[in-house]
């Protein structure tokens, strides 16, 4: 039996082993969740440009951020839209609004991943470990989530590994130092994990504006080259030496390790100057800052998702997800609601089902399954007799049919 398991945000809500005592947020309660975490009081967490953006937009005092509760997808999408307008105007560094929007956009990516890292920093998820134990090497996990709950469970319960387990292979894995991933021929004797929106432990270089009015990466190597964080038991090189300790595997404290790369050279006629204003009230980092500054590699929760920024990296992941859906005999939908605005996901399933010669069995595992059921019957043409509905939350009692 070949199974494809589709995981959405609802699957991560089952996690209750966080050291913070907080559960994973949804789009509506993201900022409320952030304020519950100790990280929200850490001066190393950069939110100044985001606060200034909200303050200028809403004509309110910056202190109003203490009660801010806007949906993160709407806010991030709004900033992205304005940022593109600034990019198309020309040199973004000549426009203060454009600089603010770029920094606010990046701050939201760091903030988003930081919240995930804080909450997933605890014991392994019993629910995900239970799922991992039931998987065979023919099965695949296709997830829209950024967290690493499934990654850790697979590494604990199967032969899955972070260097070779994501279908696309990173250039190096951080295990107290960068370990280069030179062996491209390792046989995969474990379930397949496909992360369609990147991962909180995937790392790339900083996003910068190009002369062509687009985003690009600051690394000199191929844009598809990415890096994976697995663990750190000692200080590593990071921005301003701001290493934070006390994190379990697959989680880090706000700043990921710097990359073992050099950045792109300055355009002709320009010089790159790195500077950082030292605030006497800001604690100094005690690690070093060698290497290229890095940032999380995720497709953030925005309406216009920038998959092409990373070359064919996500094209390959999504194509493999489609093949898995095409060939699966059973497809489990766990905690994913199929929002009507997610056009790419809709096309993924339509394309996969059009290529199939038989109907798969669909198992919907969701306490509110009606709209998902309608999507599969009316939009994807799956007869209701092939659909099983489980009006249940995803927890450690989950079992395959």
């Amino acid at each position: 039996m070949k199974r494809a398991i589709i995981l959405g945000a609802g699957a991560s809500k089952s996690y209750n082993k966080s050291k913070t005592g907080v559960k994973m947020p949804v789009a509506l309660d993201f900022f409320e969740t952030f304020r519950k975490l100790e990280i929200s009081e850490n001066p190393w967490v950069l939110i100044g440009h985001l606060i200034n953006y909200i303050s200028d937009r809403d004509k309110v005092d910056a202190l109003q951020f203490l009660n801010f509760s806007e949906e993160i997808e709407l806010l991030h999408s709004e900033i992205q839209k304005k940022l593109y307008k600034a990019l198309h105007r020309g040199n973004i560094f000549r426009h203060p609004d454009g600089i603010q929007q770029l920094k606010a956009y990046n701050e939201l990516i760091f903030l988003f991943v930081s919240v995930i890292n804080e909450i997933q920093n605890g014991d392994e998820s019993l629910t995900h470990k239970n799922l991992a134990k039931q998987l065979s090497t023919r099965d695949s996990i296709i997830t829209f989530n950024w967290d690493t709950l499934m990654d850790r469970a697979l590494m604990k319960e199967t032969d899955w590994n972070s260097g070779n387990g994501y279908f696309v292979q990173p250039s190096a894995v951080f295990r107290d130092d960068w370990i280069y991933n030179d062996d491209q021929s390792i046989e995969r004797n474990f379930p397949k994990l496909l992360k369609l929106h990147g991962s909180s432990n995937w790392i790339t270089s900083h996003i910068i504006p190009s002369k062509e009015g687009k985003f690009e990466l600051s690394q000199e190597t191929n844009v598809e080259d990415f890096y994976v964080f697995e663990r750190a038991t000692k200080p590593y090189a990071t921005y301003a030496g701001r290493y934070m300790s006390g994190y379990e595997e697959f989680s880090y404290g706000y700043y990921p390790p710097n990359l073992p790369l050099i950045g792109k050279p300055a355009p002709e006629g320009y010089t790159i100057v790195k500077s950082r204003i030292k605030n006497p009230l800001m604690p100094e980092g005690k690690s070093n800052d060698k290497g290229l500054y890095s940032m999380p590699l995720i497709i953030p929760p925005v309406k216009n998702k920038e998959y092409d920024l990373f070359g064919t990296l996500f094209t390959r992941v999504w194509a493999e997800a489609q093949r898995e859906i095409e060939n699966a005999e059973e497809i489990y939908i766990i905690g994913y609601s199929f929002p009507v605005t997610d056009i790419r996901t809709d096309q993924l399933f339509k394309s996969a089902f059009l290529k199939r010669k038989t109907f798969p069995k669909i198992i919907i595992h969701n306490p509110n399954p009606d709209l998902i059921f309608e999507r599969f019957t009316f939009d994807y043409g799956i007869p209701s007799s092939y659909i099983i509905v489980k009006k249940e939350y995803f927890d450690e009692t989950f079992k395959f049919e």
Side-chain angles (χ1 to χ4, degrees):
M1 179 70 67
K2 180 174 177 57
R3 294 170 291 216
I5 298 90
I6 315 297
L7 298 184
S12 298
K13 275 288 187 180
S14 66
Y15 183 59
N16 59 5
K17 296 292 183 180
S18 175
K19 295 177 182 179
T20 66
V22 178
K23 289 202 170 186
M24 290 289 180
V26 293
L28 288 171
D29 66 359
F30 175 82
F31 291 100
E32 180 184 348
T33 301
F34 168 64
R35 288 191 293 269
K36 292 178 181 178
L37 301 171
E38 288 185 11
I39 199 80
S40 66
E41 300 176 4
N42 191 318
W44 284 353
V45 174
L46 304 179
I47 55 175
H49 291 281
L50 176 60
I51 291 175
N52 288 338
Y53 173 85
I54 295 168
S55 178
D56 292 346
R57 184 198 66 177
D58 298 344
K59 304 295 188 291
V60 296
D61 188 272
L63 290 176
Q64 290 297 316
F65 187 73
L66 296 173
N67 300 309
F68 185 73
S69 60
E70 190 168 328
E71 185 176 335
I72 188 171
E73 180 176 333
L74 294 178
L75 177 63
H76 215 155
S77 298
E78 175 189 300
I79 294 174
Q80 181 195 51
K81 185 176 181 180
K82 291 182 178 180
L83 179 56
Y84 270 111
K85 286 184 178 179
L87 284 170
H88 293 156
R89 285 200 304 262
N91 190 337
I92 193 172
F93 296 109
R94 294 177 181 173
H95 305 279
D97 287 349
I99 296 173
Q100 182 191 72
Q101 290 154 9
L102 175 62
K103 292 189 174 182
Y105 183 87
N106 284 340
E107 283 181 358
L108 268 176
I109 291 177
F110 273 91
L111 189 66
F112 187 76
V113 171
S114 179
V115 167
I116 292 173
N117 272 324
E118 293 300 309
I119 295 175
Q120 70 187 8
N121 182 34
D123 293 339
E124 292 104 343
S125 167
L126 296 178
T127 301
H128 291 79
K129 285 175 67 176
N130 171 60
L131 173 58
K133 289 177 183 178
Q134 300 179 60
L135 296 171
S136 75
T137 57
R138 299 186 64 205
D139 297 333
S140 60
I141 299 286
I142 301 171
T143 178
F144 295 92
N145 300 334
W146 300 271
D147 63 72
T148 58
L149 299 175
M150 196 69 240
D151 316 41
R152 289 182 70 192
L154 285 170
M155 193 165 76
K156 185 74 174 181
E157 302 297 336
T158 74
D159 291 331
W160 184 93
N161 67 85
S162 60
N164 202 46
Y166 292 114
F167 179 70
V168 286
Q169 290 187 309
S171 298
V173 177
F174 193 86
R175 302 183 181 110
D176 275 333
D177 200 355
W178 286 114
I179 310 300
Y180 284 91
N181 201 16
D182 295 328
D183 190 348
Q184 305 293 315
S185 61
I186 304 173
E187 186 177 354
R188 295 178 174 90
N189 291 316
F190 42 74
K192 191 174 294 181
L193 178 60
L194 300 170
K195 307 197 81 167
L196 301 186
H197 288 158
S199 184
S200 61
N201 70 319
W202 289 13
I203 304 173
T204 187
S205 58
H206 270 256
I207 297 171
I208 57 175
S210 70
K211 292 189 297 183
E212 291 76 25
K214 298 179 180 180
F215 283 140
E216 64 180 15
L217 300 180
S218 58
Q219 65 200 46
E220 194 174 37
T221 59
N222 194 302
V223 295
E224 297 172 3
D225 293 345
F226 74 107
Y227 295 75
V228 163
F229 178 89
E230 185 176 304
R231 65 176 182 267
T233 62
K234 59 184 180 181
Y236 53 67
T238 188
Y239 174 79
R242 295 174 180 175
Y243 164 79
M244 301 179 191
S245 62
Y247 290 84
E248 303 290 341
E249 292 179 330
F250 291 86
S251 298
Y252 55 83
Y254 193 76
Y255 297 100
N258 289 343
L259 299 175
L261 299 173
I262 59 175
K264 287 183 177 178
E268 186 176 349
Y270 289 82
T271 300
I272 294 176
V273 178
K274 290 200 315 184
S275 65
R276 178 171 57 86
I277 298 174
K278 290 191 176 183
N279 185 337
L281 300 178
M282 178 77 76
E284 283 294 305
K286 296 182 179 180
S287 184
N288 67 73
D289 64 353
K290 295 179 180 178
L292 183 65
Y293 293 154
S294 65
M295 69 181 296
L297 195 171
I298 64 166
I299 302 298
V302 292
K303 291 182 179 178
N304 297 313
K305 295 178 171 60
E306 289 284 348
Y307 298 101
D308 293 342
L309 177 63
F310 305 99
T312 64
L313 178 65
F314 286 101
T315 302
R316 287 180 282 148
V317 175
W318 280 74
E320 186 65 15
Q322 179 173 322
R323 284 189 287 270
E324 291 296 315
I325 295 170
E326 289 172 13
N327 297 320
E329 298 163 79
E330 294 183 348
I331 300 175
Y332 286 77
I333 312 296
I334 302 175
Y336 186 66
S337 59
F338 284 83
V340 293
T341 55
D342 200 339
I343 298 173
R344 182 157 186 170
T345 301
D346 184 56
Q347 189 59 49
L348 170 70
F349 278 84
K350 283 181 177 176
S351 297
F353 289 150
L354 281 172
K355 291 188 176 182
R356 294 187 62 106
K357 295 181 180 179
T358 60
F359 292 116
K361 182 189 291 186
I362 305 293
I363 301 93
I364 301 171
H365 209 280
N366 196 303
N368 301 296
D370 294 347
L371 293 178
I372 307 170
F373 181 88
E374 290 178 4
R375 176 65 67 89
F376 276 89
T377 53
F378 294 119
D379 292 357
Y380 303 145
I382 305 296
S384 59
S385 58
Y386 283 81
I387 303 176
I388 298 173
V389 173
K390 296 281 188 178
K391 290 188 176 183
E392 301 170 355
Y393 288 100
F394 179 55
D395 58 26
E396 60 265 31
T397 65
F398 172 85
K399 290 184 179 180
F400 287 127
E401 286 294 308

